[in-house]
Amino acid sequence: MQCNGEVDTFCAAIKETMTKLVKYLVFAFNLLFVIAGLAVLIVGIVIRAAYNEYFEFVPDGIFTTPRILIAVGLITFVVAFFGCCGAIRDSRWMLFIFMVALGFLFILEFSAAIAAYVMKGSISESIKNKMDSSMDNFDKEGKEGVTRTWDALQADMHCCGVDNEVGFLDWGTRFNFTNTSPNVTVPSSCCMKVSNDVEEGVCPMPEEGSFVVTISQKDAGEDLWKIGCYEKLAKGMKENVGAVAGAALAVALVEIVGIVLSYLLYKEIGSRYETV
C-alpha cells in the first residue's frame, strides 16, 4: 500500500494498522502452528508405539508416515522461532527462511498424506500375507521375534490364528492337526486363561521353555479365543493410517495460511524500505 503526498496521516494510519494486523496474524498462526506440530508429534509417536510390538506383521513402509510426522513435529518448534522473530524484528531474511521452511514442510506432509492414503488400500493383503507366512516360524529357534509378536497380538486382541472362523485351526499347519484331530496344539497366548489348576475354560501351563499348549479339541471351544486376529489388526491399522494421513493433510493446509501471511508481511516490510 503506497501513500501519496508528504503528509497523509490517514493513509499512514491505515498502513500501520494493516501491518500490525498482519503481524498479529503471523503470531496467531505460529501459536496454531506449534499446537498443530505438537499434535502431529504425539500422533506420530502414539502410532509408532502402538504397532511396534507387531512389527513382524506391519507392512513395509507403514512406519514412514509416523516417522515423518515425528520429524515435522520436532522441526515445527525451530520453524516457529523464525516466524515469531521475523515478525517482531521486521526481519525479511527470517521471514524468508520461515516461508521456505513452511513450503518444504508442506510438500513433505502432503506427500506423506498421499502415501498413507495409497497404502491404506493395500494394507489388508500385506498384513494377511505376513501373518500366514510367519506362522511356520512360531516357537522356532532363531525366530524369537515372530513368537513374541504372535503372543503379544493374540494376548492383546483376544484372538487366535489368522482368519479362520475357528481361529485355532489356523495353527494346524504348524503343529500338524486338523479339525478331526483329538488334540490341538496352539500358542499359549490363544488361551483365555492359563493355570496349573485343571478346570473348565482354563489351559494347562506350558512346559518350561515352551510357548505352546496341547489340549483336547472338544475343550478348545471353551478354552481358546475363537476369533482370528487378522480382521482386528487390519481394521485398527487402517483406521490409524487414515488418522495419520488426515493429521498430515490438516497441518499441510494450515501451513498454506502461514505462507500467505508471511509473504504479506515480507512484502510490507520491503515496501517500507523502498519508501525510505
Side-chain angles (χ1 to χ4, degrees):
M1 180 178 178
Q2 298 292 332
C3 295
N4 298 320
E6 295 182 1
V7 180
D8 194 339
T9 306
F10 181 71
C11 179
I14 292 177
K15 188 175 180 181
E16 184 179 355
T17 301
M18 288 179 63
T19 302
K20 287 182 178 180
L21 177 61
V22 174
K23 272 190 178 184
Y24 292 144
L25 288 174
V26 171
F27 286 135
F29 166 78
N30 271 282
L31 177 60
L32 178 63
F33 184 51
V34 168
I35 293 172
L38 183 60
V40 297
L41 175 63
I42 293 171
V43 169
I45 291 173
V46 169
I47 298 299
R48 180 69 177 82
Y51 293 106
N52 196 48
E53 284 188 303
Y54 312 141
F55 67 94
E56 292 286 348
F57 309 141
V58 173
D60 298 332
I62 193 69
F63 287 138
T64 301
T65 303
R67 287 192 187 112
I68 290 175
L69 292 184
I70 291 171
V72 167
L74 294 173
I75 294 171
T76 292
F77 297 100
V78 178
V79 174
F81 168 79
F82 280 96
C84 285
C85 287
I88 292 172
R89 301 175 60 181
D90 287 346
S91 172
R92 297 190 82 206
W93 72 267
M94 294 187 91
L95 286 172
F96 180 78
I97 291 175
F98 182 59
M99 284 187 290
V100 171
L102 284 180
F104 172 74
L105 291 178
F106 169 79
I107 294 171
L108 194 64
E109 291 188 291
F110 188 77
S111 300
I114 297 301
Y117 277 121
V118 171
M119 184 179 296
K120 186 179 178 182
S122 61
I123 199 170
S124 297
E125 183 180 355
S126 181
I127 291 173
K128 189 173 187 306
N129 290 339
K130 283 179 172 286
M131 293 179 79
D132 286 334
S133 63
S134 68
M135 295 187 87
D136 287 338
N137 292 322
F138 185 89
D139 202 24
K140 283 187 177 179
E141 187 175 352
K143 299 294 182 180
E144 289 80 8
V146 173
T147 302
R148 286 195 299 269
T149 302
W150 267 110
D151 279 344
L153 177 65
Q154 294 182 147
D156 292 347
M157 297 195 174
H158 296 170
C159 56
C160 183
V162 184
D163 65 346
N164 200 304
E165 288 184 6
V166 183
F168 67 84
L169 292 177
D170 287 329
W171 290 105
T173 303
R174 169 67 181 90
F175 297 112
N176 301 313
F177 67 84
T178 67
N179 60 349
T180 59
S181 301
N183 296 322
V184 298
T185 300
V186 296
S188 59
S189 53
C190 277
C191 298
M192 297 181 187
K193 188 177 179 182
V194 177
S195 175
N196 285 320
D197 298 328
V198 179
E199 57 181 286
E200 186 176 340
V202 178
C203 295
M205 290 289 291
E207 296 180 7
E208 186 175 353
S210 175
F211 295 91
V212 300
V213 294
T214 300
I215 62 174
S216 68
Q217 188 155 178
K218 66 182 180 64
D219 293 332
E222 298 294 332
D223 297 353
L224 308 177
W225 302 115
K226 299 178 180 65
I227 301 173
C229 301
Y230 161 68
E231 288 290 346
K232 287 188 173 184
L233 180 60
K235 181 181 178 182
M237 198 170 288
K238 286 173 75 172
E239 288 175 352
N240 284 316
V241 167
V244 167
L249 189 59
V251 176
L253 294 175
V254 168
E255 286 162 354
I256 293 177
V257 177
I259 292 172
V260 172
L261 290 174
S262 302
Y263 177 71
L264 291 174
L265 185 57
Y266 178 85
K267 279 198 67 176
E268 179 61 31
I269 294 170
S271 68
R272 266 186 272 156
Y273 287 123
E274 290 173 3
T275 56
V276 172

